[in-house]
Amino acid sequence: MNELFGFSTLDLSRFQFATTSIFHYFFVPFTVGFALIIAVLQTLAYRSHDPKLENLTRFFGHLFFINFAVGVVTGIVQEFQFGMNWQGFSNFVGNIFGVPLALEVLMAFFLESTFLGLWWFGKDRLPAWASLASIWIVALGTTVSAFWIILANAWMQHPVGYALRNGRAVMTDAWAIVTNPKALEWFAHLWSGGLTVAAFFVLAVSAYHLRRKHNVPAFRVSFKVALLTALIGSLGVVAAGHVQGQSAVRDQPMKYAAFSALWDTPTGSQMPESLVALPSNGARANRFEVTVPYVGSFLAFNNFSGKAKGLNDLQREYAARYGPGNYLPWVWPVYWAFRVMVGLGGLMLLVSAYYTWRWRRGRLDDPGRLYPLLLVMPLAPHLANFSGWVATEMGRQPWIVQGLLRTADAVSGLTPQTVLVSLAAFWVVYLTLIGLDVFLLTRTARAGMHGPEVETPSVPAPHYLPEGAAP
Amino acid sequence: MTVDLPTVWFGLTALTFTIYFFLDGFDFGVGILQPFLARSEAQRRALIGTVGPFWAANEVWVILAASVIFAAFPLWYGALLTALYPLFALILLALIGRGVAFEYRSEVDHVRWRLFWDATSFVTNLLPAFLWGVIMSNMVRGLPLGVGGRFEGHVLGAFDLFTVLGGLATLSLFVLHGATYLLLRLHRDGTLYLRARRAALLWGAAATVLVLAFVYVGFVRSGVFNSLGLSQWLFPAAAALNLGLVWLALTLRRDGLAFASTGLTVVFSTATIFLSLYPNVLPSTLGETYTLTVRNSASEPTTLRLLSWVSLIFLPLIIGYQAWNYYVFRQRVQERDQAIPGGGSGD
């Protein structure tokens, strides 16, 4: 195959897909959780008619708006790149995979972009109830959007409701596709993850201002709302993650074995779990590992005697089933990404539990000694999401559609030069976007609310003529 | 009566692109015109204000177009996007830059910051306006496709007289469409309004020449527009007629009529492209057997039926709330010398 600096079109296309998806995913879960938090804040403001809560909503709304813009524009790339870089994939699954994408646009994308515009620019032109309804519609849209995308991804990992016809997958049971059990588990996991991303951000911003005694009554409210969201989110992430791990043992045993760096099926009466390991694909074993007995069985089966299959056995099975070839994912990144994700999930749960405990003890206004940690915590859910995607997507290689289509057969017939140029361009643009987003978010977050009118004069405010004025 | 679903979905694809070009067309136009029309910060803000609440939702139509082709015509989707890969990559990068320019320009009150975003906005509105024309003309002209829609050509093959003229025609048409949109959206007493009117007259002339040249080259190159239905000339002639109508409307100072004419020109031009394609979706220049048609590239009936039901419910809803969005911000935009904190209210 044609190569450039040792990279084939396949390598570069995979790298580009990872780049564009992961960058996009810095913004998406943020939007999902943040829209909900703002909708709650605005509901509180609406019910209490309290101007300080209205200001608070506006303030966080501005931060939301900054982030939303980047989320929208990076989302467009997602819709086009399946055809651009993955022609084989599009031809093979368009009948099925294209549908949830189209439904996402029809049911969610229009809704979000239209009603966010109405909410943001129409703040003085809409009645209060319509403004409140708009932000709830945005929140609903982001959730529906996430659902369809997860459904599409879940089908690639666990194809259901299809038949193969003329070398293509066609839909035979739409209901089975919509109720794909994988999709429901993952949606719970990702949606909770979205809550944590926004919650720890709002927590950090609120703690920052509480510490400096800015608008204390208002930021107490956002701190509480965010804290509850963080608690619910981290609990949801951990619980759904546990369920997902157990279903992976059944449906994607190779991926599960890679998560645990389990090369050989355990021979004893139970399965240990490795704490740390240095997996090596070359040696088909771990160069070093520390394991704890019984934990593996418990995590995978909720009992103390279950055993999952090891990578080497699965490789033999797959070769017998699908023909000769290497069916092992690249284990060490999968193993470590999985551990980083789980570790950060645990940290998020601990931090939110600790602050909930402080709240019960009446020490809400004082972020305490963990204050510096609280300020960097917004990074934790982002990193956890990043590692989660790396683990789940690398863990299912070499398949792009589990058991049906290999990634190598899905890639477009482009030259590596073409892909390298676009990859470089996307990196430049995306790094700039991240930089700008972080810069504007911190700048706006630190500025806080100035006085009674938090109106941000920098917001593009078109000056419309009054109602009924002669045009 | 049986419904031919692939044909229905071909029609819906055409409709989606038509709505996209109609709506985002004037956004591009306003973005391209901005450096020429606005001389002060207040004027720049006024121009951005005319599209501020709308551009994001307008842009979603292209995402819908892409996902409709993906779901309803997977082979078309894969072949088109792979074959014209560099053009689509450029469009995507431009759409990213444009969206961010719209939203971030006013976030920092600094001259250099705003200058940077104004420049970004100009380039990133110009690029897609031109490239969409190149892409559409490539679709009509055909691409070197081999077995399974595999692209056998070269990157630069996307550009020749016909496709470049197509690009310039869409570019000028979108600028004109943006100018007539501004006539509807700007306060009539302002200097901006007068400048927009002059721009419309100028770009009306340019667009007419370029669109006619494109159509002429298309007809001279045999086989390009030949499969048009009723009469080959009907749709291109209607498009040209509408361009003539723009001048009349401008002379009569009928803003609504001017905008309707440029809008109809966009509609007829897009219809020309898609009608001349049918029953193909992507002709192969390497041989008829490789040509992708509505029939051989469409999804199975189960998929198309599902898509039809969902669209039947959601498309009217989308059009409804998007129309309401335009209604909420229907007032003409006025230039103000400085931003007023808490501004934007109906004072």
Side-chain angles (χ1 to χ4, degrees):
Chain A
M1 199 175 193
N2 194 0
E3 289 194 348
L4 189 67
F5 310 125
F7 293 107
S8 64
T9 300
L10 174 65
D11 300 329
L12 293 165
S13 293
R14 281 186 61 189
F15 195 42
Q16 177 164 308
F17 192 88
T19 302
T20 51
S21 307
I22 285 172
F23 271 105
H24 178 53
Y25 207 77
F26 284 130
F27 309 108
V28 171
F30 198 3
T31 308
V32 170
F34 211 172
L36 198 67
I37 291 180
I38 290 168
V40 169
L41 291 178
Q42 186 162 348
T43 308
L44 296 175
Y46 179 80
R47 293 176 59 128
S48 64
H49 297 287
D50 184 343
K52 73 170 188 285
L53 289 185
E54 280 161 20
N55 291 348
L56 187 74
T57 312
R58 259 355 274 179
F59 167 69
F60 281 112
H62 188 183
L63 293 168
F64 177 75
F65 190 75
I66 289 171
N67 192 70
F68 186 85
V70 200
V72 170
V73 292
T74 51
I76 307 173
V77 180
Q78 303 296 310
E79 211 73 35
F80 281 82
Q81 63 181 347
F82 301 107
M84 289 167 67
N85 294 83
W86 306 98
Q87 190 179 4
F89 173 76
S90 314
N91 290 355
F92 183 74
V93 300
N95 267 282
I96 294 174
F97 189 86
V99 176
L101 294 193
L103 298 198
E104 186 213 5
V105 183
L106 284 167
M107 292 185 188
F109 227 166
F110 277 110
L111 210 62
E112 291 169 56
S113 46
T114 310
F115 282 90
L116 186 72
L118 277 164
W119 182 72
W120 184 246
F121 293 101
K123 53 195 168 200
D124 303 311
R125 311 183 64 79
L126 290 177
W129 66 266
S131 167
L132 182 65
S134 296
I135 192 68
W136 276 106
I137 290 173
V138 173
L140 176 76
T142 57
T143 304
V144 173
S145 176
F147 176 77
W148 289 118
I149 290 307
I150 292 311
L151 195 75
N153 182 272
W155 191 85
M156 294 161 77
Q157 313 249 4
H158 184 57
V160 288
Y162 71 95
L164 293 181
R165 212 168 288 160
N166 302 325
R168 297 159 69 183
V170 299
M171 195 185 284
T172 53
D173 186 350
W175 184 245
I177 293 171
V178 175
T179 55
N180 189 346
K182 281 268 174 186
L184 304 180
E185 292 164 15
W186 290 3
F187 177 69
H189 191 64
L190 273 109
W191 191 73
S192 317
L195 292 186
T196 61
V197 171
F200 281 103
F201 176 76
V202 174
L203 266 185
V205 174
S206 306
Y208 177 87
H209 290 293
L210 284 178
R211 178 88 161 196
R212 283 162 183 72
K213 310 261 183 278
H214 300 156
N215 305 73
V216 171
F219 282 113
R220 289 186 75 158
V221 175
S222 56
F223 193 92
K224 283 184 209 165
V225 170
L227 186 52
L228 282 177
T229 314
L231 192 64
I232 296 168
S234 349
L235 277 171
V237 166
V238 172
H242 182 59
V243 176
Q244 270 174 285
Q246 300 195 333
S247 79
V249 180
R250 290 190 305 272
D251 305 322
Q252 291 177 295
M254 190 69 101
K255 186 197 275 187
Y256 187 84
F259 283 168
S260 306
L262 185 70
W263 290 92
D264 299 304
T265 312
T267 46
S269 61
Q270 47 84 27
M271 180 167 73
E273 180 71 22
S274 95
L275 268 187
V276 280
L278 290 177
S280 155
N281 271 50
R284 300 220 166 166
N286 293 330
R287 294 199 187 282
F288 164 83
E289 64 177 345
V290 177
T291 60
V292 195
Y294 295 104
V295 177
S297 294
F298 177 74
L299 288 177
F301 302 101
N302 284 345
N303 62 37
F304 293 101
S305 58
K307 282 184 287 186
K309 282 184 184 157
L311 291 157
N312 291 328
D313 291 319
L314 288 164
Q315 163 66 26
R316 276 189 287 278
E317 263 179 40
Y318 279 35
R321 196 159 142 204
Y322 301 111
N326 180 9
Y327 296 92
L328 294 174
W330 191 14
V331 179
W332 81 258
V334 178
Y335 173 87
W336 280 106
F338 182 76
R339 263 148 188 77
V340 168
M341 173 185 77
V342 172
L344 288 169
L347 176 69
M348 295 185 312
L349 188 57
L350 281 178
V351 171
S352 40
Y354 171 72
Y355 277 98
T356 313
W357 175 76
R358 281 182 77 93
W359 177 10
R360 301 318 304 163
R361 304 289 295 270
R363 281 186 284 177
L364 189 77
D365 292 350
D366 170 22
R369 254 182 294 176
L370 286 186
Y371 173 68
L373 177 67
L374 210 51
L375 288 190
V376 294
M377 269 311 276
L379 291 175
H382 278 299
L383 272 174
N385 284 333
F386 169 83
S387 333
W389 279 114
V390 169
T392 196
E393 296 302 302
M394 289 187 79
R396 77 179 147 98
Q397 298 303 328
W399 299 109
I400 193 166
V401 180
Q402 185 74 38
L404 296 180
L405 184 71
R406 281 173 235 212
T407 313
D409 299 325
V411 73
S412 295
L414 298 162
T415 62
Q417 285 81 358
T418 309
V419 186
L420 186 70
V421 171
S422 68
L423 177 61
F426 277 117
W427 266 93
V428 170
V429 170
Y430 279 22
L431 282 179
T432 315
L433 285 184
I434 292 262
L436 284 167
D437 190 57
V438 170
F439 164 69
L440 288 177
L441 283 180
T442 16
R443 190 173 181 273
T444 314
R446 287 173 64 148
M449 304 185 275
H450 306 295
E453 75 287 298
V454 260
E455 280 312 334
T456 38
S458 54
V459 168
H463 303 295
Y464 298 97
L465 283 181
E467 296 275 343
Chain B
M1 196 187 104
T2 52
V3 182
D4 182 29
L5 278 175
T7 300
V8 168
W9 276 94
F10 179 77
L12 283 173
T13 309
L15 178 73
T16 314
F17 271 108
T18 308
I19 297 178
Y20 172 64
F21 289 144
F22 184 100
L23 292 176
D24 227 12
F26 62 70
D27 295 345
F28 292 140
V30 172
I32 297 167
L33 283 171
Q34 187 187 308
F36 302 105
L37 299 189
R39 309 266 153 84
S40 68
E41 176 58 18
Q43 291 179 339
R44 269 176 224 118
R45 266 173 191 251
L47 287 186
I48 295 169
T50 61
V51 288
F54 312 120
W55 74 267
N58 290 348
E59 197 174 85
V60 177
W61 285 95
V62 78
I63 308 180
L64 182 66
S67 65
V68 161
I69 299 190
F70 191 3
F73 302 97
L75 299 185
W76 181 14
Y77 174 77
L80 178 70
L81 268 59
T82 304
L84 299 178
Y85 183 93
L87 305 191
F88 281 105
L90 270 176
I91 285 189
L92 291 177
L93 291 165
L95 291 182
I96 292 175
R98 181 180 77 127
V100 178
F102 268 129
E103 305 296 10
Y104 284 0
R105 179 187 187 279
S106 316
E107 288 293 333
V108 177
D109 200 13
H110 193 282
V111 180
R112 287 239 289 276
W113 172 271
R114 286 197 302 253
L115 236 109
F116 170 74
W117 289 118
D118 288 340
T120 307
S121 164
F122 177 71
V123 175
T124 55
N125 276 294
L126 192 75
L127 261 180
F130 173 70
L131 290 174
W132 278 122
V134 177
I135 287 172
M136 288 290 139
S137 351
N138 266 287
M139 246 162 65
V140 174
R141 187 197 57 175
L143 289 160
L145 300 178
V147 185
R150 201 187 147 88
F151 181 59
E152 309 283 357
H154 187 263
V155 173
L156 292 177
F159 295 95
D160 66 8
L161 177 68
F162 177 67
T163 59
V164 170
L165 264 177
L168 293 174
T170 51
L171 173 64
S172 58
L173 193 53
F174 287 161
V175 177
L176 170 65
H177 192 38
T180 58
Y181 173 76
L182 287 176
L183 296 183
L184 273 186
R185 304 289 294 122
L186 289 169
H187 192 34
R188 281 184 144 186
D189 294 339
T191 44
L192 264 184
Y193 177 87
L194 293 174
R195 282 191 211 136
R197 207 167 156 269
R198 249 178 287 151
L201 282 166
L202 183 73
W203 283 91
T208 310
V209 172
L210 287 164
V211 168
L212 285 178
F214 171 69
V215 170
Y216 175 74
V217 172
F219 275 107
V220 167
R221 292 172 58 114
S222 60
V224 172
F225 285 148
N226 280 2
S227 50
L228 280 177
L230 287 171
S231 152
Q232 296 187 38
W233 289 96
L234 187 65
F235 282 88
L241 206 69
N242 271 293
L243 278 175
L245 203 60
V246 178
W247 286 335
L248 184 69
L250 289 172
T251 329
L252 296 175
R253 294 178 177 270
R254 296 275 301 275
D255 298 339
L257 185 64
F259 180 68
S261 323
T262 57
L264 279 173
T265 312
V266 173
V267 171
F268 284 125
S269 307
T270 318
T272 307
I273 298 286
F274 281 91
L275 280 172
S276 66
L277 263 181
Y278 189 83
N280 298 332
V281 290
L282 202 54
S284 169
T285 52
L286 299 182
E288 196 120 338
T289 43
Y290 303 130
T291 288
L292 297 178
T293 65
V294 166
R295 204 139 300 282
N296 72 17
S297 63
S299 283
E300 301 279 320
T302 27
T303 300
L304 295 179
R305 264 198 299 273
L306 179 65
L307 283 176
S308 304
W309 281 110
V310 179
S311 310
L312 208 61
I313 300 166
F314 283 93
L315 274 182
L317 209 63
I318 291 165
I319 292 171
Y321 60 67
Q322 246 188 318
W324 182 58
N325 190 18
Y326 278 93
Y327 176 76
V328 169
F329 300 103
R330 66 193 173 282
Q331 270 76 29
R332 286 172 184 263
V333 174
Q334 207 175 21
E335 353 165 349
R336 288 268 179 84
D337 286 335
Q338 64 214 43
I340 293 165
S345 57
D347 53 5

